[in-house]
Amino acid sequence: VVNGYGFVFIAGFTATNKLYGLLEFAAVSYGYAVATYCGQNLGAGKLERIKEGVTTAVKLSIITSLGVSVLMIGGGRNILSLFVSSSASQKAEVLDVAYMYLLIMALFLVVLFLLHIYRSSLQGMGDTFVPMLSGVVELAMRIGIALLLPLLIGEIGIFFAEIAAWAGAELILMYSYYRKVKNMRLQKVITGALPAGFLGVGEPLIYGVTLPMFKPFITAGLGAGFGGAYVMLTHVLANSWGPSGLVAIPIMKPESML
């Protein structure tokens, strides 16, 4: 796609891509740190520390990306000149193209940093499928935008292909991360509350699981109501007042049990 826009555009595009590795250097480093951090705390069962650590990493990424963006916007043209041959007859035009691409990436650099944080967080927590899926989405967005957007806004549309790829992947990763953290918290609560539930103590499950989720609370209430009505209609009786759950079985009248 890029090859169809001529020598000047290709040279400028290539110059900025050479600088791309430096732009995401800090993001990659944060990603490695977060992956290790999440893996260690997952093994220790400290889910709250995972949330706190990732939140801190997100804040650091935003601050760092803003700093790098300011640096690139202010001095990016001088840095790009190091990647463009001084003998090029059209150096000024090449730098114009390169700087425009760099400017667009710098404005949206925070998206790239957050992408690395959420992808590495999921990998650290043992999820390999979503990060792999995000890579597929990233590729599809990059190709799709590169083919379609230039038809609407011209060659500058090529520059937004990279941004769209970051954004598409990050949305999937961010959603998956917060959903996974929520589910892990819920699993931890259920693991602790389920034994008590079998013994007839339902409050931990009610207040820790069903009530916060609302819909399960409604369905559990309906189930209990219909279950109680069925028990009354079939004349299930007990010898005395007592506990509920599995421990209620001994006080049931055998001839009245279902």
Side-chain angles (χ1 to χ4, degrees):
V1 176
V2 177
N3 291 341
Y5 291 98
F7 163 76
V8 171
F9 187 88
I10 296 173
F13 186 83
T14 304
T16 303
N17 278 331
K18 290 178 180 178
L19 190 58
Y20 180 80
L22 296 177
L23 292 178
E24 68 171 348
F25 182 79
V28 173
S29 299
Y30 284 147
Y32 286 145
V34 167
T36 303
Y37 177 88
C38 289
Q40 290 174 339
N41 284 281
L42 179 66
K46 298 180 179 179
L47 303 183
E48 289 303 316
R49 279 179 58 84
I50 292 177
K51 292 171 61 178
E52 292 172 3
V54 172
T55 300
T56 300
V58 167
K59 293 177 181 177
L60 285 173
S61 295
I62 292 173
I63 294 172
T64 305
S65 65
L66 291 176
V68 174
S69 295
V70 170
L71 177 63
M72 291 298 106
I73 292 172
R77 192 177 184 90
N78 293 328
I79 298 174
L80 285 169
S81 65
L82 301 175
F83 298 93
V84 178
S85 174
S86 59
S87 60
S89 59
Q90 298 171 304
K91 183 176 181 179
E93 296 178 57
V94 171
L95 284 176
D96 287 341
V97 173
Y99 182 69
M100 176 59 69
Y101 186 20
L102 180 62
L103 178 62
I104 291 173
M105 284 206 294
L107 292 174
F108 294 94
L109 192 61
V110 64
V111 180
L112 177 63
F113 272 66
L114 294 179
L115 184 156
H116 278 281
I117 295 298
Y118 289 114
R119 176 178 287 164
S120 298
S121 299
L122 288 170
Q123 290 173 332
M125 289 189 286
D127 189 339
T128 57
F129 176 75
V130 173
M132 180 190 69
L133 178 63
S134 71
V136 175
V137 171
E138 195 173 351
L139 177 62
M141 292 291 290
R142 185 178 288 112
I143 294 174
I145 295 299
L147 291 174
L148 298 177
L149 198 56
L151 300 177
L152 301 175
I153 62 175
E155 61 184 25
I156 195 175
I158 295 290
F159 302 151
F160 287 96
E162 195 69 31
I163 311 303
W166 299 346
E170 188 201 335
L171 288 175
I172 292 175
L173 292 166
M174 186 183 296
Y175 171 79
S176 299
Y177 165 75
Y178 287 109
R179 183 176 179 83
K180 187 175 185 69
V181 168
K182 180 180 178 181
N183 289 343
M184 290 172 66
R185 185 202 66 81
L186 189 62
Q187 288 170 4
K188 187 176 181 179
V189 173
I190 291 174
T191 301
L194 200 56
F198 281 126
L199 297 177
V201 182
E203 283 78 4
L205 287 171
I206 293 173
Y207 296 110
V209 181
T210 59
L211 189 57
M213 298 180 70
F214 187 69
K215 287 183 180 179
F217 177 74
I218 298 299
T219 56
L222 291 173
F226 284 112
Y230 181 75
V231 166
M232 293 296 294
L233 289 173
T234 52
H235 305 291
V236 176
L237 301 176
N239 292 315
S240 65
W241 289 101
S244 59
L246 295 177
V247 293
I249 294 177
I251 67 172
M252 306 301 294
K253 294 182 66 173
E255 64 273 16
S256 299
M257 292 180 67
L258 295 176

